[in-house]
Amino acid sequence: MAGQDGLRASAARDKDFVGIDTAAMARLIQQMTSASNAITAWLRTNAALPPSVPRTGLHQAAAVESWARAQPGMLSRRRSYAIAHLSKGAADMPRVGAGHLGGRPGGTTTAGAGHSVGHFPDAHAATRAGSADAAAIHAASAAGRPVPVAVWKRLTADADDPDYVKGLYARLGPAGAADLIGAALGRQARLATVRESLGLASHHLRMSEKWLREFLEEATRKGVHDDAVRLLEHAGLDRRAKVALGHIGLAHLVAAPPGHRIPTPNPPHEAMIRPAAADPEAAAELHARHSEAVHRALAAHPGSTVLQALAAHPTPERSERIGSTAPPVTPPAEEGP
């Protein structure tokens, strides 16, 4: 799919080049969905034709509708896979979902543009493999055994597959994710795999504040709380997950006695706030939703540069006050004929 200079330049250098423009792909998905809906409505309207009217047109339209209906799922998998390879879960990714397709400028990549996407034939197979590996991780944890090597091998190979990690963490849940971190301790490569896969999963699963609290509580029970916080800090979480994690960190800071210093080696709760503070959208949302907690935490820890950066984002109330003090704008006088 052409549409960006980088993609055209790559195609000019290699006649066999294939690539995905993520923004153009988003528009194509919307168009295919709209086309399918339009044909479905037409078929419904024209289904009751008199017996004397040939059904050839209806059969042809039904075949086209069936084909068009199958395309958005396949295209969405390719686009999600391409986006994952653009960022590798270490930076903000364009929002994935029907309501936000193409919401941010996309990039171009060859990932997802070939005959196969990842190591699975389709999204269903990838999700099912992730779910099966999660079941194996649960079984190993319950029996006190190590996670099977085959599971680590597959997780390492498919940590950048959105459908695989969605199936994995949907089945693992917060407690299982904490188990996985505990199983990866001492092996930096495995911890990096968990960090990448968990960060990518947050863009496709709703990791709410409740989910994250359960995850951290389970990590605390297993003695891996600090490792879990460090992993979340650098996982490239979805904006909503950053806001949820930031509020948890704010709650801890507000609850700490004045002047309290969390001793090393425990990391400060700022680590939970830092991902949101570094993301302008997440920072604005966190401050808007929890401005009182932000200022209470800053009053208790005035030297925190993370909280200072977070508090610099105006709340909607502040924006309204600023707007109300602006001088009224007089519309220009209409010109005569």
Side-chain angles (χ1 to χ4, degrees):
M1 297 179 63
Q4 292 192 2
D5 292 340
L7 195 63
R8 288 195 293 268
S10 298
R13 289 191 298 268
D14 180 1
K15 65 181 179 63
D16 297 320
F17 175 83
V18 289
I20 288 177
D21 175 335
T22 56
M25 180 74 90
R27 290 191 292 274
L28 177 60
I29 292 169
Q30 291 175 329
Q31 290 165 358
M32 294 299 296
T33 302
S34 297
S36 176
N37 292 339
I39 298 172
T40 300
W42 184 88
L43 287 169
R44 189 181 303 116
T45 302
N46 294 276
L49 292 176
S52 58
V53 177
R55 294 294 196 272
T56 305
L58 287 176
H59 294 326
Q60 291 174 340
V64 174
E65 192 277 334
S66 178
W67 176 85
R69 184 167 14 97
Q71 303 313 300
M74 176 274 292
L75 293 173
S76 295
R77 170 160 170 76
R78 289 180 178 275
R79 181 175 183 270
S80 296
Y81 194 81
I83 290 170
H85 277 255
L86 284 171
S87 66
K88 288 293 184 181
D92 283 341
M93 296 187 293
R95 298 172 189 170
V96 177
H100 299 292
L101 287 173
R104 298 181 185 175
T108 59
T109 176
T110 58
H115 294 294
S116 60
V117 182
H119 301 104
F120 305 99
D122 53 40
H124 177 69
T127 304
R128 187 174 55 191
S131 181
D133 283 347
I137 293 167
H138 277 308
S141 176
R145 300 191 308 267
V147 173
V149 174
V151 172
W152 282 119
K153 184 177 180 180
R154 191 159 39 249
L155 177 55
T156 300
D158 299 306
D160 56 2
D161 188 315
D163 296 305
Y164 172 83
V165 300
K166 181 179 179 180
L168 179 76
Y169 286 99
R171 181 77 176 268
L172 277 180
D179 287 336
L180 191 58
I181 291 177
L185 285 184
R187 304 284 291 272
Q188 290 304 313
R190 289 181 176 179
L191 276 173
T193 293
V194 177
R195 181 175 63 246
E196 179 182 2
S197 60
L198 183 64
L200 178 57
S202 72
H203 292 259
H204 299 272
L205 292 173
R206 186 170 182 269
M207 294 186 178
S208 62
E209 189 168 323
K210 179 177 183 292
W211 195 101
L212 290 167
R213 283 188 185 278
E214 291 179 9
F215 170 71
L216 291 171
E217 289 169 1
E218 186 65 26
T220 299
R221 282 193 290 270
K222 296 182 181 302
V224 296
H225 177 273
D226 296 357
D227 302 281
V229 170
R230 279 193 292 269
L231 186 142
L232 290 173
E233 182 184 358
H234 301 289
L237 296 172
D238 172 68
R239 174 184 53 83
R240 295 172 300 177
K242 290 176 184 177
V243 173
L245 183 65
H247 186 227
I248 294 173
L250 287 172
H252 284 303
L253 284 173
V254 169
H260 174 69
R261 299 290 180 182
I262 301 173
T264 55
N266 293 331
H269 294 300
E270 283 184 342
M272 299 183 195
I273 306 168
R274 196 170 288 117
D279 179 338
E281 285 191 18
E285 182 175 340
L286 179 59
H287 192 195
R289 292 175 56 186
H290 307 290
S291 58
E292 182 179 349
V294 171
H295 291 289
R296 287 176 61 191
L298 187 58
H301 305 271
S304 170
T305 56
V306 174
L307 291 172
Q308 290 169 8
L310 190 59
H313 290 271
T315 62
E317 291 79 7
R318 257 180 76 189
S319 299
E320 289 176 6
R321 288 199 301 271
I322 293 172
S324 65
T325 60
V329 177
T330 304
E334 295 184 2
E335 296 182 358

